[in-house]
Each structure stands twice: as C-alpha cells, then as structure tokens.
Amino acid sequence: MDRIIATAEALWRMMRRIAEILLLLHWFNLLSVEGTRYSLPGKPTLTRCRSPEKETFTCWWEPSFDGGLSTTYALYYCKENSDTVHECPDYHTAGVNSCFFNKNNTSIWVNYNITVVATNALGSTFSDPVEIDVVYIVMPHPPENVGVTVLEDKGWPFLRLSWEPPHKVDTRSGWITLIYELRVKLEEETEWEMHLAGQQKMFNIFSLRSGGTYLVQVRCKPDHGFWSEWSSTTSIKVPDYFQRERSVWVMIMVSSAFIFLIITWLIHINSHSLKHYILPPVPGPKIKGFDKQFMKDGKSEGFFCDLVSIHFPATTTPNDEDLLVEYLEVCVPEEQELKMEDKGEDGCPKSESSTSDCDSGRGSCDSQTLLIDKCFKRVAPGLDIECSQTGTGANEIQDSPDVSSGRVKTWPSVYSPLSQHPVDLMHSLDKSKQHCLSDTLFPSDSSCPYHSHPDHSTNDNPDSTYWKFCFNNKQRLLLRPQMETQWQPHAYSEVNISATVRSSDYVEAHNISDENTVVLHSVSSSHDDREGTGYKYQGEDYSHVQRVGSDNVLMLQRGLMKEPVDTGFCKNQQANRAAGTSDTSPITRNQKPTVCNETTLSVNGPAANGYVDTATMFIKPTQD
Amino acid sequence: FLVSVCVVWLLCVSVMLCSVCTAPVCTNAQVGCHAVSLNNLFDRIIQHSAKMHRVSNDLHQQFELHVLPSRNQVGRGGHICHTSTIMTPNGKENAQRMAREGLTQVILQLLMAWTDPLMNLHHSSTNVSVDMSSMVGELRRGVQRLAEKMHTLGLLTDPDSSVVSPEALMTSHPVPWRLMNLYDILYCFRRDSNKVHNYLRILKCRIVPEHGC
C-alpha cells in the first residue's frame, strides 16, 4: 500500500514537472510569437506641414510599422518659449495621419515644436520633433479662373491670359503677396514655355502659330514660401489668319522692286552704248573746219574761210578713225591760192592750207564726192596717182607724198590719205601749185558728182563738186565724152595713167577739143612737157579757170600768163592778177595772175557740166 | 563735363540704392520741393523692407547650412529674442484689428530695437559682412517720415499713439541683446524683418489700397 502511494506521488510530481516544462515551453513559444507580431510601434515621421493662407496649417506624418497591435497616433506640440504641451485639435479635417490647426490655434511668427507619438499595447514611440514657423511653410492653392482669349494687335493675334488668386488667400489686405508664373505650350509639343508674371494677374503671349492649339497653366507663390500646384490646363485654339500670305506678297514685291532698280541702274550706266546699239548714229557732215555755228551765223565768207584754212592740210594723220569719219576737206581753188600769194596773209589766213595737197579729198561738202572717190578708186585700181607738186614743189615738200604704188590716193572712200598730202604740201605753199581739175573733166555720171565739160551738162548731179584730179605730170588724161554715157566705175581704165608716182602733178586742162573733150595736160615743174601744149607756165601750174559761164560752165584759160585767148575762155584777168585783185572777197576773183574770173559756184551749183572749184563756189561771179 | 557726368551718375545710383533717401518731406508751403506722394512713399518703404528681409533670410540660411549642419532639426527651439516683449500681432485678425497708429508704432519699435545689435554684429563678427544696421536705420527713418506724412494728412488721428519717441521704448528688455549668440541674432532678426515687412504691407493696403492690393 505504501508502495502504491509512493509511486502515485512520484508520478504526480513527474507530471507536474512535465506540465511546468510544457507550460514554460508554451510560454516561451508565446513570447517568441509576440516578438514578430507585436512590438512597439515604429517611429513615425512628420512628413510636412503646410499652410495654404498663413492662417491655418496642417501637418502630415508617416506611420511606421505598427508592431502587430493597434497603434494610435497622437500629435503633440508646444509653442515657443512655453512648456505647455498641447495635443492636436483636429485629426480628421485634413485626412488620415494629419493634424489640422485652425485659426485659433495658429500663431504666426511663433515656433511650433511638433511631435507625433505612436502608441500601441506595448508602448509608445515618439517621432523626431519638428520646429516650424507658419510664415515659412505657406503653400497656396493654385490660381483660379484662368481665362485665355485671342486678341488682335494690328492684325496679328496674341493670347491674353487672366487669372485670380486662390480664394482662400487674402491678398487684398496685404496679408499675403503672391507672385505668379505661367507656362504655355502647343498641344503637340512636349516642352513648356515658362513666363514669370510677377504680381500681375494678366499676361500676353505673342508670336503664335496660326491655327495651333495652346495649353496654358498658372501657379503662384508667396514672398517666402512654396510654389503652388499648377492650375488645371486651359486650352485655346488660335484661328487662322492671312498675315503670312500678305507677308509673302510683300516680300515678293520688295524683291521685284529691288531687281527693277538694279536693272534701271544698269541701263542708265550703259545708256550710251545702248543708244549706239539701238540707234546707230547717223553720220553727219563732218568737214574739217566746218563750223556749224558759223554757218548758222550766216557768215558764209568766214565759213569758207575756215573751211579752207587750217584744216586743209589735215594735220591729223590718217588712221582708222579717220577712215571711218567722213571728213571732207575743202580744198582751196587755185584762185584762192593765187590770191593767197598776192595777198599773203590777207584775206583768209587759212587759205594757206589750201595750197597743200591736191590729193586731199577736197570735195564739196557732199557725200557724192565720196561716191566719186569711190568711182575713181575703182576706176583706177592699182593706179597710183598722186598729186605732186609741180616743179620744184617736190623739194618743198617736207615729206614726200606717200608714193604707194597703185594707190589712188585721191579717191579713197575716205579722204584721209589725201590728207597726208596736204600736210606735206602745206609748206610748199609758194611753189606747189596744185591744179585741181574740175570734175567736169570727167564724164558725168549720176553717181559721180563730177562735172564734165561745160558742154556736158546733162545728167550730172546738180551738186557741183569740186574735183581735184591729179595726174602724173607725165600723164595725160584724155577724157572722152563717151565716158559720160558709159560711165562706170571702171571707165577710168581708159585713162592712161601711169603708175609712176611722184609728187603730185597737176593736170591742167589743155584745151577743150571740139568734141567737148578736155585735154588735160600734166603740169610739172618742168615745162618741158608742154611742148605740145603751148602753154607756158611760168612757175605757176594751174589750170586756170577763167570763168564760169552763165551756164555754170567753167571756162578755162588757154594761156597762162598770157593774154587770155579770146575764145571765151577767159577774160583778161591779167590786170587783176597784176594788180592783185582788189576785190573784197579774198576768195573771189582771180587774185592769182593766172586765174581768170572765177565764178561763184554754189555748192549746189551748176548741174552737170559745171566744174566748180569748191573754193570758187563761194566766189561771187566776177565780171566777165 | 566728365566730372559732372560722374556726379550725376553717382547721385542716380545712390538714389536707386536707397529707396528712402534723406530727402526732405515737402509740405505744401515749400517751394521747389518735389513732393512725394503717399503711395510712392509706401512703395519705396516696402521695397526697402523686402530687401532687408531678403538679406536677413539669406544670412540665416547660410548660417544654418555651413555653421550648424548637424543641428538641422534639433536645437532650433529655444530662441529668445530680445524683442519678444514688444507686443506684436501674431495673426491676421490681430493685425487687422490693430489701428494704424499701433501698427506704425510697432514697426518703429522693432526697427529701433535692431539698430544696435546689428551694428554690434557687423563690427564684431567676421562671418557677417553685410551691414544690416544701416539698412535698418534707413528704413526706420523712412517709416518715421511716413508717419509724419500720415499725421499731416490726418490719417493718424489717435493722439496718444502718435509718433512716440523711440528711446522710450527701449528701456527694458528681458534679454539684453548682448547675451544673444550669433545664431539667435540671425534667427530673431529674420523674423522681425518679416514682421516689419508684413505690417507695412498691411498698412499700405489699409491706407492706399488702390495699387497692388
């Protein structure tokens, strides 16, 4: 019995121990479980405190883990320089985990020391304290009533933005001063364009894209605080406008005007050449020594004086330009020369020049002379005829005339070659007596303005042209009337003209045959050639034109120095010669001893058969 | 000519720099004196106070950033400003409830209280290079001019709260400013400049509300 009781007690103790052990184990187990699930709450943190209008403010905190147990949070604050701890008056207005301080609990310019406490069954956890001053935590609401309109400024559109401060912020009393900022962008763009608007509540945006849609947002900030959130987006569409087209037109017009100005300037610069190109200048009468003004003045005497004078021996050397310019040299008739001798420097001082070359194209101021020249030229191609001074005139010639074989200097289309002679012969005034034969010696032709024998009037051109024809003194030109009718440029081939070129010899009209042929006789310094002529030249080699008849016929003097044959040729002019004509007109009359009366011959003078010395043209008809 | 140009330029610069210059306040009787309107005077004063507050704010931030980096959250409290005895409205209602004269007086008191500490700060401390005391002094003189002008215009009616001699207000301070350290001075001045700026704005919008209120 005792043993049974002892065993039972041992078993009972063992079981208790086991139970205790189990209990302990259970306890331990429990405890361990509590360590993962239940603990003190985590340390909360105050995230931020904000005041929208500087009159109230709200603080938010962030809870940590709760420790498995329900945790409560409490916010405590104490004001500056006060130890009184207050608890948050309002946990709900601002949402979860927030504390809202209303106006009564808000003091500006006062430091708040705020702490959040998390409490659960196991304990409490305090957060780090935060000190705030409401003045520096102001973050207003976004501006309200953002309005956008499209206005026009001189045809160009622009956006006008307007807004209002958030209704809670009191700016009217000056409690808060806000500054604004806005941003704009096109609908399809990604980047915003920021603009700071200051304290104004209105803003203009220019340089818009026509037809685009713009998005606008505004925000605000107090003096020292935080920027508000952006307001809701306001969109506006800009209507299309025509300014772009107009600007394109303006540019086109400006550029065209510019081009036009440039072209005008170019034309103005090249006006001269253009004029020459479009309207080639008409060659006018250019006679050396021809003074138009003088003509106009009506002083014919002086006019011819000038003509005959200095310019006679063309001082300019022939060159291409001269070839082109049709300068006619007026040559002085022998009468003039004679007169010159008599009078010396009297009268027309310029007449000295007339004694020069007879080759010079001294024709009338008439283009027909040119034609004659051409005719002659063609007629006698290869002929080298030059006017050579008679007799010793060659010695006087400083420059021997250009003796170029086969060149008829007399009748080039331009007179320039002729001018050479005048230059050279100018100095041989005294001795060089040039005989100028009237063109009447030649058969007249409509194209050749020379005049045939007085009897050969007919179809000569009315213009009397003085023609000088110089032949080699050896030569003799015999013109036949047939030449008249058969006048052709080459008709001159009949003329026997040797190619010898010497100083210009003059051919004098020997006589006039019955056949209305003027026999020309070369005149040279040597009088030997004149055996047959019967003419006696006494140092003066002229074919003297005694007079010009009423029919504008040139009457040549048969005898030189002799009493004129009373064949009607020439009146006795010896008296005049000897006396030196006292005529007034220096050119007039036969001043020269061997010069018979001269007759005036107008430029448009006798037709046909009127050989007229141009110099004599202006001579008044002397008494016959 | 150059000298005159330089003189003119210097004058212009000085005028620009000091928004409240020592220009005499003109009365109607004075001749040849360019009278400044009340609105213009307010604008100048407010600009000046804004500048002052900006400077003080920058100083304080620089100090916290470089001198006390470890004390961002802790140690901020406990600032005792020597101007705490001055009764200043701490809320919008209080400020709006206060009369113009009271506000003007408070402004002047604040400005008066800071002249000396700042002067001392500028001379003693090497960290602070900006002479804020001159700014405070100029602002004070400007506010005094403003008060006088308002008084002449009849805006300040309360005879008791007329312009009080500033010296009378500086009799007792709970904390002599000499005991304040640099950090406290910067902190307190930053706050007081903000107060002055705000009070001036309230005053302006109360007296001349048509511009920018």
Side-chain angles (χ1 to χ4, degrees), chain A residues 54 80 108 111 131 170 223, chain B residues 76-77 187 191 198 201:
Chain A
K54 210 160 79 172
E80 169 182 330
I108 316 298
N111 258 348
E131 283 192 17
D170 185 4
D223 288 346
Chain B
R76 277 204 177 182
Y187 180 85
R191 173 194 293 174
N198 212 337
R201 275 224 167 96

Side-chain angles (χ1 to χ4, degrees), chain A residues 167-336:
Chain A
H167 64 278
K168 285 190 179 177
V169 174
D170 185 4
T171 54
R172 281 198 313 111
S173 66
W175 182 238
I176 294 181
T177 307
L178 292 174
I179 59 172
Y180 302 95
E181 190 183 36
L182 58 101
R183 63 180 187 182
V184 184
K185 80 174 173 98
L186 279 168
E187 198 171 19
E188 55 270 14
E189 284 180 6
T190 57
E191 289 195 4
W192 291 88
E193 182 182 332
M194 313 291 285
H195 295 279
L196 194 65
Q199 294 181 19
Q200 63 197 30
K201 302 182 187 60
M202 185 252 303
F203 199 79
N204 296 328
I205 294 175
F206 300 93
S207 299
L208 304 176
R209 184 189 298 184
S210 159
T213 303
Y214 283 91
L215 305 177
V216 174
Q217 284 182 331
V218 191
R219 66 176 184 179
C220 57
K221 178 177 97 79
D223 288 346
H224 297 276
F226 301 95
W227 281 106
S228 69
E229 298 290 339
W230 287 106
S231 65
S232 57
T233 305
T234 309
S235 72
I236 186 154
K237 186 180 186 304
V238 180
D240 297 323
Y241 55 93
F242 292 109
Q243 296 300 328
R244 196 169 294 172
E245 287 186 21
R246 198 183 300 175
S247 66
V248 168
W249 277 113
V250 165
M251 281 180 64
I252 289 173
M253 285 176 64
V254 164
S255 58
S256 62
F258 188 63
I259 291 170
F260 176 72
L261 280 173
I262 289 176
I263 290 173
T264 306
W265 177 69
L266 285 173
I267 288 174
H268 174 69
I269 284 178
N270 298 331
S271 59
H272 272 283
S273 58
L274 276 178
K275 273 186 206 169
H276 280 274
Y277 184 74
I278 294 172
L279 304 168
V282 177
K286 289 179 186 172
I287 301 175
K288 285 191 179 172
F290 188 90
D291 189 359
K292 283 184 186 175
Q293 193 56 40
F294 221 145
M295 255 316 239
K296 289 176 186 173
D297 294 342
K299 299 178 183 174
S300 61
E301 295 175 355
F303 168 78
F304 289 109
C305 213
D306 290 343
L307 273 180
V308 174
S309 62
I310 293 176
H311 299 285
F312 164 60
T315 53
T316 61
T317 58
N319 51 18
D320 292 340
E321 195 175 332
D322 286 345
L323 287 172
L324 295 174
V325 174
E326 306 79 13
Y327 269 92
L328 306 178
E329 297 185 0
V330 180
C331 76
V332 180
E334 51 269 22
E335 294 83 0
Q336 180 61 22

Side-chain angles (χ1 to χ4, degrees), chain A residues 131-152:
Chain A
E131 283 192 17
I132 59 162
D133 193 336
V134 179
V135 172
Y136 302 110
I137 59 165
V138 180
M139 179 177 162
H141 293 301
E144 298 170 355
N145 292 343
V146 179
V148 186
T149 55
V150 180
L151 300 178
E152 271 205 359

Side-chain angles (χ1 to χ4, degrees), chain B residues 110-153:
Chain B
L110 286 169
L111 291 171
M112 224 87 66
W114 276 105
T115 309
D116 289 336
L118 289 174
M119 194 180 299
N120 178 266
L121 178 71
H122 175 64
H123 288 146
S124 62
S125 171
T126 56
N127 294 336
V128 181
S129 58
V130 181
D131 183 12
M132 290 183 287
S133 64
S134 60
M135 268 191 271
V136 170
E138 286 172 11
L139 189 60
R140 178 172 58 83
R141 279 188 292 276
V143 175
Q144 278 173 343
R145 298 264 189 281
L146 178 72
E148 289 167 11
K149 192 172 180 69
M150 283 197 292
H151 191 70
T152 55
L153 292 174

Side-chain angles (χ1 to χ4, degrees), chain B residues 153-198:
Chain B
L153 292 174
L155 298 169
L156 297 178
T157 57
D158 192 355
D160 293 337
S161 60
S162 61
V163 180
V164 182
S165 166
E167 287 72 21
L169 302 171
M170 290 176 68
T171 51
S172 63
H173 282 181
V175 176
W177 53 266
R178 295 183 191 278
L179 296 179
M180 292 165 64
N181 56 14
L182 178 61
Y183 188 39
D184 291 337
I185 288 176
L186 291 178
Y187 180 85
C188 294
F189 179 61
R190 176 188 175 218
R191 173 194 293 174
D192 285 342
S193 61
N194 194 304
K195 277 186 183 176
V196 165
H197 186 62
N198 212 337

